[in-house]
Amino acid sequence: MSTAELLKGAAELFPGEVVTQAHVRHLELPGGVGMFALITLDNGLDHTKPTTFGPQSLAHVDAAIDQVEAEAAEGKIVGVGVTGKPFIFAVGADLKGVELLKRHEDALAIGKGGHDVFKRLAGIAVPTFAYYNGAAMGGGVEIGLHCSYRTVSAALPAFSLPEVFLGLVPGWGGCTLLPNLIGADRAVTVIIENSLNQNKQLKGAQVYELGIADALFEGADFLEQSLLWTASVLSGELKVERPEIDRGDAWDQAVARGRFVADSKVHGAAPAAYRALDIIAAAKDGDLQAGYDAEDTALADLIMGGELRSGIYAFNLVQRRAKRPAGAPDKALARPVTKVGVVGAGLMASQLALLFLRRLEVPVVLTDIDQERIDKGVGYVHAEIDKLLGKGRINQDKANRYKGLVTGVLDKADGFADADFVIEAVFEEMGVKQQVFAEVEAVAPAHAILATNTSSLSVSEMASKLKNPERVVGFHFFNPVAILPLLEIVRGERTDDASLATAFGVAKKLKKSAVLVKDAPAFVVNRILTRFMGEIQNVIDEGTPVAVAEKAVEPLGLPMSPLVLLELVGPAIGLHVSETLNRSFPDRFTVSQNLAAVVKAGKRGFYVYDSGQPELDPEVVALLKQGDTVLTEEQTRARVLDAVAQEIGLMLDEGVVAEAQDIDLCLITGAGWPFHLGGITPYLDREGVSERVNGKKFLETGVASVPA
């Protein structure tokens, strides 16, 4: 089947494609070098709608190559360039269409169609050039890899091959061409390591340093400088030197390193990284066509697999649902926030103060019980501002302005009399929080929002003794505040729409992914994690060795093992949340006496790291009192997953969130659960756990799975 027929057939499967045009224009290169054809990729929309490649878009690129190929053969042009619209080069395949594919042969056609078009660039009778002028990802990177030469803008903000992160492989030449261009080790970093490191992006200078681009130019006159450079290359005045690729042991060692990275991140639970590494390993002999064929097969297999569908589902949650929170009131009801108060000046409170300061750029005032604590909190914020200045993230003027905006006072009346939004981050004890809110209500303006950063306590109970409980809202951040995007916004029984709308407005300015949550014990993330961790702890307490219990959940590919997570959270906090939930749901949430003993002994966790690797702390082992019921890894995993599926089912029945999608969004953005699982519910559906426990799946067929 011809490329045109292949793409025509694929286009019928992709309704609503935002079509990218490939405009060809001609220009005379400086120095009398000759006529040059420049192809510009442009979907006709501004930079907020990045250029993608669906079947019709590929057909337009194919037609543009028809034209320049003929011109090159006739001697009318001396070279061909490819660039993008302002700020965007191209960001890869159109994933909206990929979701709709139902058959392996259709998925194969997508891979083959992209290859057939892109590889023609290498066959044109004149040299070809890619000018990475803006964001380039996936297929956008790959079209450039098929060119003879590449330049990159120093202003380019994001460059990556993110496919493995989503559950795919770079399937239009990336796995084959990149290691042959920059060596296997650097290719493994870009394709495997960066992808699995939360889709880490490269900047323009890094693209050049890695050898992906042959030249780096400033953003202001990037295209002009690239064309001057092109003229020098074509005239022979400039010779592009590239280091020789080591095709010996270094190549094999790079692939082995990639497998180690994949094992440490996904523990064999998702196939994409391993498929990519197999192709990189085979690319060692330089047979490009064999590599392209392997990419086609891997792409088709993965498109028809659950991990990719979960990956796309997760991507859509973070990119779309997070920006339009389910159940949020009309944003027109939101009130302006021109000053923020923070009750507390400890680490969490100081992190919150810094975030409000940087995102809202309004005065922020901290209070605490003594001047020493206040000074320490303000000092922390100042030190963090200095770090930002040192890294070049802000200039001196902005640093001075930020420092001027943050203050600390002992008297809440002095600090909060004109505040529009006051958030408390004090000790997690109901009486303490009620007292704090009573004090704040007495001095803050009548319109001020009173927000609590509680992780598990009832927002309604906290507000119950106030004159105006309608302005109290839960505003639960996740640690570290600057990194984790989730914000659980909790509506109390009497919270009004204006207060809630203001909270969502603030969350948007803070650049957080806000999810509306009912005022239920421990809300979403902590409730699920506590049930998850509690079941692990139960299994250990009953007699299963710690190592077996930890290893049992490795196939979920979580960012860290349960007991390492407990260490990060802090055993005392873990115990406190389990006690809170035990009071609400004693039949499902237990309080582990072993965990209580670990907390009483003042231990920070179950492990010591004397050898650099985690080893069970002998002092903790001596504290453990275990039964004699020993489960296998499979039995442990089944028990843990059954418990989580049951809890999520109950939370949805209670209306804690609007839909299962919100559970997944919370776990991805608040607890770092992997994209390839789609959070948790697609995995539970795929493994048959949802139906076993609840009698039905959480999601409709086709939502995070192959359509029926």
Side-chain angles (χ1 to χ4, degrees), residues 540-589:
I540 292 169
D541 293 353
E542 289 164 19
T544 299
V546 170
V548 173
E550 287 264 80
K551 205 163 184 322
V553 293
E554 274 190 1
L556 274 75
L558 299 176
M560 60 190 75
S561 74
L563 293 184
V564 172
L565 174 63
L566 181 69
E567 202 169 295
L568 183 73
V569 170
I573 292 172
L575 181 66
H576 174 76
V577 177
S578 70
E579 287 169 343
T580 302
L581 281 160
N582 172 256
R583 284 194 292 274
S584 300
F585 310 115
D587 56 324
R588 301 193 309 279
F589 288 86

Side-chain angles (χ1 to χ4, degrees), residues 152 203-216:
V152 67
K203 301 270 193 278
Q206 295 169 300
V207 174
Y208 172 64
E209 284 156 17
L210 283 166
I212 300 171
D214 303 302
L216 174 74

